[in-house]
Amino acid sequence: MLVLLILKPDPCALNGTSVELSCSYNYTAEETVRKTSWYKGEFKNGTWRRVALSDLPSYQNRSEYLGDHQHDCGLAIHDLQVNDTGYYYFRFDTETYGRRSKGSVYLTVTELSASVSSARVRAGDYVTLTCETSCQLPGTVWFKDGLPGAKPEFQAQAEDAGKYVCAVKGQESVLSDPVALDVQYPPLNVSVEVSYWGHLGSGVNLTCSSAANPAADLYTWFRSTGSSSSSLLQVGSGPVLSLPSVEASHTGLYLCQARNQLGGSNSTEVLLPVGKTDSENAGKIRKYNLFRNCIDVSSRSSSNEES
C-alpha cells in the first residue's frame, strides 16, 4: 500500500516564485515502479476530479518532477500563478498496479499587497507602511522609487514623497504593486533671481522660486527700509517683480515671501544696485557684502561672549 509522507506543512508561496512539494512513498519489494505522476484536484462540470499536471497546458515547462522511481516523489512548480492554489496528489504505477495517495498537499499562492496609513500627509506626520499576504512569510523589505532601504515607519519629510513597494527578504525579485505617498509642505528654499543689474532708466526683473507642495500660489515682494522686520515695505506681488524703468530710489534690499495653504517662507535679502555704470553697481555690491560680513562677524563675537 502506498504511504505518502509530507515532509513539511502545506506550503504557501509568492506569485512568481518557485515552490517544492516534498514527499516520499513506499511499496512492496516485489514491485518495480514504472511511472510517477502528480495531479491537481479541480471541479469540472460540478464534479471533483484529479487531473494530471501533464494534461494541464498551464503547467507545461513550469512543473518539474524532483523524485525518482524508488521512494522520493518531490515536485517543483516554477513561476507560480495565483490559480495554482489547490490540492495536489501523487500517483505511481508498477507492472501490476496503479496506486495514488489518499492524502493531498494544499498549495497556497499569494500576492504581496502594500498599503500606506495615509496616501496624503503633511510634513511632520507619522507614516506606516504595511506589507500583507495571506501567508506567514519571512520579514519584508521596502523600496522607494526603486531604491532599497526604505523604513516601514517614519516621520514624513518632503523628500519622502514617492512610490513604495515591498518584497519578502530573500525574494526581492518579486515586488508588490506600488503605493504612492504624497507629502505636502509649505514653501522651502525660497530664492530670488535678478535678471541683470539695472542702469538708470533700464528694466529689471526679480523672479521668486521655491519648492512647495502644493505649489506656492501667493508671492509678495518687500523692500527693506531699515534693520527691523517692521521696516519692510510691500512693493509688489506675483512670482515676478518687474521694474520697467529703474531709478536711484529703487536701490535697496529686496526679498520675496512665498505662501501656500500650509504656510509661508521668506527668501534671503537680495541687493538691487542702481547706478549709471557697471563699475558703480559693482562698487555698491562690494560695500553691501562688506557690510553683511561685518554684521556676521559682530554676531559671532556676541555669541562667543555670551557663551
Side-chain angles (χ1 to χ4, degrees):
M1 178 178 289
L2 167 66
V3 178
L4 178 64
L5 300 177
I6 305 305
L7 302 183
K8 61 182 180 179
D10 290 342
C12 186
L14 291 176
N15 184 43
T17 63
S18 298
V19 69
E20 293 185 8
L21 310 182
S22 300
C23 75
S24 64
Y25 64 104
N26 294 325
Y27 50 92
T28 60
E30 294 78 16
E31 295 180 289
T32 300
V33 176
R34 297 300 185 187
K35 181 181 179 182
T36 59
S37 304
W38 275 89
Y39 293 74
K40 185 182 181 185
E42 61 177 31
F43 274 107
K44 189 169 185 178
N45 298 325
T47 302
W48 178 261
R49 64 174 190 161
R50 303 182 185 191
V51 182
L53 298 187
S54 59
D55 294 333
L56 295 173
S58 63
Y59 286 84
Q60 297 301 312
N61 301 319
R62 293 197 304 118
S63 61
E64 177 186 4
Y65 185 63
L66 302 177
D68 51 37
H69 282 183
Q70 298 186 15
H71 300 289
D72 186 356
C73 51
L75 173 73
I77 305 176
H78 305 290
D79 190 21
L80 286 168
Q81 303 167 8
V82 173
N83 57 10
D84 291 335
T85 295
Y87 293 94
Y88 291 81
Y89 304 84
F90 177 70
R91 173 189 172 115
F92 72 91
D93 293 274
T94 67
E95 304 98 324
T96 308
Y97 300 101
R99 294 178 176 149
R100 64 184 185 182
S101 60
K102 292 182 177 179
S104 63
V105 179
Y106 188 80
L107 170 64
T108 300
V109 181
T110 184
E111 293 183 311
L112 291 171
S113 175
S115 62
V116 61
S117 53
S118 180
R120 177 173 294 171
V121 298
R122 291 186 178 185
D125 289 349
Y126 285 91
V127 175
T128 300
L129 301 172
T130 304
C131 190
E132 296 178 321
T133 72
S134 58
C135 305
Q136 290 188 351
L137 297 171
T140 56
V141 292
W142 285 91
F143 298 79
K144 175 184 175 290
D145 296 332
L147 299 177
K151 296 181 179 180
E153 295 183 353
F154 53 90
Q155 191 172 10
Q157 301 300 326
E159 60 271 17
D160 293 320
K163 293 184 177 180
Y164 291 81
V165 296
C166 65
V168 173
K169 287 182 179 178
Q171 301 181 31
E172 286 83 356
S173 61
V174 179
L175 302 174
S176 69
D177 288 334
V179 59
L181 176 65
D182 181 28
V183 181
Q184 296 191 331
Y185 52 94
L188 304 173
N189 304 322
V190 182
S191 63
V192 174
E193 179 181 357
V194 181
S195 58
Y196 60 90
W197 301 118
H199 300 158
L200 287 173
S202 64
V204 175
N205 287 334
L206 286 77
T207 303
C208 186
S209 61
S210 67
N213 184 26
D217 54 8
L218 179 61
Y219 294 90
T220 307
W221 290 92
F222 299 91
R223 182 162 64 91
S224 177
T225 59
S227 58
S228 64
S229 58
S230 61
S231 61
L232 294 177
L233 177 65
Q234 182 176 339
V235 293
S237 61
V240 178
L241 176 63
S242 294
L243 303 175
S245 179
V246 296
E247 302 173 357
S249 60
H250 289 139
T251 297
L253 301 175
Y254 288 77
L255 65 85
C256 167
Q257 181 184 85
R259 299 189 65 86
N260 64 9
Q261 63 194 45
L262 302 180
S265 183
N266 293 344
S267 70
T268 56
E269 295 175 334
V270 173
L271 174 65
L272 177 63
V274 180
K276 295 180 180 179
T277 64
D278 289 338
S279 60
E280 185 177 342
N281 286 338
K284 292 182 179 181
I285 294 174
R286 284 195 297 271
K287 289 181 180 179
Y288 168 72
N289 290 334
L290 180 60
F291 171 71
R292 297 298 296 177
N293 290 336
C294 289
I295 292 178
D296 291 341
V297 171
S298 177
S299 298
R300 288 196 295 268
S301 298
S302 298
S303 299
N304 292 334
E305 289 174 3
E306 292 174 358
S307 60

